[in-house]
Amino acid sequence: MNLLLTVLEIVAPVFILGAVGFTWIKLGLEYRLQFVTQLAMTLSVPCLIFTALMQTEIDPKALADLSIAAVLAYGAITLVTAVVVRVFRIDMRTFLPPLIFGNTGNLGLPLALFAFGETGLGYAVVVFAVMAIWSFTFGVWVVSGGGSLVKVLREPMVAATLLGALFLWQGWQTPQFLTNAMELIGQIAIPIMLITLGVAVARLHPGRIGMAVVLAFLKLVICVGLAWVIGMQFDLDPVAFGVLVLQVGTPVAVTSYMLAEKYGADADAVAGLVVASTLMAVFALPALLAAVL
């Protein structure tokens, strides 16, 4: 009973804020998705990542172990999901990126914070950064044929991660007034991302739902299974292990839909995957939390 209440306390705020965004749109109220997304991804989330890394008290070796585990996990997921796409004879451009990449930002960061506190958030931004780099290179290349390392380095979230890692390694700190300002900016990231997730899901027009449900289930099994096995092989501490499994096991990100729309893939099919995997996460994420807590 205590475990059930703990899991409920962690996941309830996540889904309540998502429901706020969903309801907001269904009531016909205005929400400037592009502006809010840009604000979060270019300013608020980078500030959150940088301050979380700079101030973390996590052992740098533990962060390095988690980084390598995350790289291997996403590499293994890429290979296995590519086989799935071939077996199902579906379009690689449309389906491979959403099967690989989860919602480690909007959903994963808040879950890690609520479940494991500031230590969990510090670990979570590492997994998020690994996913973001792979997504902005390989993911964009699959969808459009044009991934670029230079473009990745220009992404504020990646730059914040590298800079935060440098400050952590050197033991540097920004002046307190600047740290306080960045923390305030970073604090708006999590509620904004969760509400925006609800808004984005409310505006989707999903297609091919039957196929989407099957693929969403396969994604969940593959991602959680591989993350679990690799995390065990690295003998990660319980918090790092829990964060790795949760982050890698998050549902399809709305950004996958946006990329499909931008580069001419089947956006409606991706929207179906987003909706199916997000609804599946309502039941899967509490079960995952119960398993790793």
Side-chain angles (χ1 to χ4, degrees):
M1 188 63 176
N2 287 337
L3 178 60
L4 180 62
L5 289 174
T6 301
V7 170
L8 183 62
E9 288 171 355
I10 293 167
V11 300
V14 171
F15 291 117
I16 288 172
L17 283 174
V20 167
F22 187 90
T23 306
W24 188 272
I25 295 304
K26 293 305 179 182
L27 290 175
L29 300 174
E30 182 183 16
Y31 194 94
R32 296 177 182 252
L33 185 62
Q34 184 176 3
F35 164 74
V36 175
T37 301
Q38 189 172 20
L39 173 67
M41 295 305 172
T42 61
L43 182 61
S44 185
V45 174
C47 284
L48 176 70
I49 291 172
F50 175 75
T51 55
L53 284 175
M54 179 180 67
Q55 296 181 314
T56 188
E57 296 180 357
I58 301 172
D59 178 12
K61 183 183 181 302
L63 287 177
D65 288 345
L66 180 62
S67 300
I68 297 169
V71 168
L72 291 177
Y74 278 111
I77 290 166
T78 300
L79 294 175
V80 174
T81 51
V83 172
V84 169
V85 170
R86 292 293 187 191
V87 169
F88 278 77
R89 297 182 179 178
I90 51 182
D91 182 41
M92 188 76 70
R93 290 178 60 233
T94 297
F95 290 100
L96 183 59
L99 287 176
I100 298 170
F101 305 113
N103 206 337
T104 56
N106 296 55
L107 202 53
L109 293 180
L111 274 175
L113 176 63
F114 294 145
F116 303 108
E118 293 295 332
T119 300
L121 181 62
Y123 281 128
V125 297
V126 172
V127 181
F128 175 60
V130 171
M131 188 281 302
I133 292 171
W134 192 227
S135 175
F136 285 124
T137 51
F138 179 78
V140 172
W141 177 77
V142 170
V143 179
S144 69
S148 167
L149 181 59
V150 173
K151 183 178 180 181
V152 170
L153 294 176
R154 288 176 180 170
E155 286 292 329
M157 292 182 294
V158 177
T161 302
L162 296 176
L163 197 58
L166 176 63
F167 271 63
L168 173 64
W169 175 45
Q170 294 293 331
W172 296 341
Q173 295 284 324
T174 53
Q176 193 59 48
F177 74 89
L178 184 57
T179 302
N180 291 343
M182 288 189 293
E183 285 183 334
L184 281 174
I185 296 170
Q187 284 168 9
I188 70 174
I190 286 177
I192 278 182
M193 288 192 297
L194 289 174
I195 292 172
T196 301
L197 174 61
V199 169
V201 170
R203 288 178 173 172
L204 292 176
H205 302 286
R208 301 173 68 177
I209 292 297
M211 174 66 76
V213 171
V214 173
L215 291 176
F217 178 74
L218 287 175
K219 171 182 169 56
L220 178 65
V221 171
I222 291 167
C223 290
V224 171
L226 289 174
W228 195 289
V229 169
I230 290 172
M232 294 292 288
Q233 291 299 314
F234 273 77
D235 196 25
L236 299 174
D237 74 64
V239 173
F241 176 80
V243 167
L244 178 66
V245 173
L246 277 177
Q247 281 281 65
V248 175
T250 51
V252 179
V254 177
T255 50
S256 294
Y257 166 78
M258 295 176 178
L259 284 173
E261 185 76 39
K262 179 177 180 179
Y263 292 111
D266 189 344
D268 286 346
V270 177
L273 259 177
V274 173
V275 172
S277 64
T278 301
L279 290 176
M280 205 171 285
V282 174
F283 303 98
L285 289 177
L288 269 181
L289 277 168
V292 299
L293 284 177

